[in-house]
Amino acid sequence: MGGRYKIKAFTLSEMLVVLLLTTIVVGMGFAVLQLVQQQMRGIEGNYGRNTKFNLLQQSLWFDFNENDGVWYDPAKEELVFINGLGEVIYEIHENEISKAKDTFELQIVKKSFFLHGVEQPQGEIDAMDIQLSKEHGGKRLFVFKNNAATIYMNQ
């Protein structure tokens, strides 16, 4: 039994090649995972901004069309909606618009108010135009209402 026999095994250089290839594949996997996570954060941010904008738009459309009168007071930065049942007040600030317990965190660049297509700095209005910052996509929100006969009788 003095013969030599060989044990089947991998050489050191073969093991190093396998480790190198495994490291490259795992590194590529982590890089792809990081890119996917960045994309998801971007989508989440866009979704959040769009949701705030859409909720404000729905709220304003509802209040513009459910109330008889709308007034803007620049001294208080308030938009007041009045009907026979009560009133709804929006407080307009540079970085948010709040209505009762709702707060819409949107940065406003410009706001304009109109009555019969003519810009109104204060008083009764029937339309408003809000321009948001570039941070919020530079979106514009234009909301109007069809005037009831009472608006013409009050003039």
Side-chain angles (χ1 to χ4, degrees), residues 60-126:
L60 284 170
W61 272 110
F62 178 80
D63 287 328
F64 258 90
N65 291 292
E66 288 295 316
N67 291 286
D68 298 324
V70 184
W71 283 266
Y72 176 65
D73 182 356
K76 295 180 181 177
E77 292 284 333
E78 286 184 345
L79 192 59
V80 180
F81 296 86
I82 297 175
N83 66 16
L85 300 174
E87 65 182 26
V88 176
I89 299 174
Y90 285 78
E91 295 177 14
I92 302 173
H93 305 287
E94 187 176 316
N95 294 322
E96 68 183 24
I97 296 176
S98 56
K99 168 192 171 185
K101 295 180 181 178
D102 295 329
T103 300
F104 306 97
E105 294 176 2
L106 298 166
Q107 191 171 13
I108 299 170
V109 174
K110 182 181 176 189
K111 57 186 178 281
S112 304
F113 303 95
F114 303 90
L115 181 63
H116 305 300
V118 177
E119 192 165 348
Q120 293 288 109
Q122 65 182 21
E124 190 165 13
I125 64 169
D126 61 6

Side-chain angles (χ1 to χ4, degrees), residues 22-39:
T22 303
T23 303
I24 291 171
V25 170
V26 169
M28 287 172 43
F30 277 114
V32 169
L33 179 62
Q34 186 178 14
L35 289 172
V36 169
Q37 287 176 333
Q38 286 176 349
Q39 284 290 89

Side-chain angles (χ1 to χ4, degrees), residues 5 9 13-14 18 26 45 48 50 59 61 63 79-80 84 94 98 100 102 119 121 126-127 131 138 140 144 150 153:
Y5 63 93
S13 57
E14 289 173 330
V18 169
V26 169
N50 287 337
S59 182
W61 272 110
D63 287 328
L79 192 59
V80 180
E94 187 176 316
S98 56
D102 295 329
E119 192 165 348
D126 61 6
Q131 171 90 34
R140 289 184 79 169
F144 66 93
T150 55
M153 293 185 329

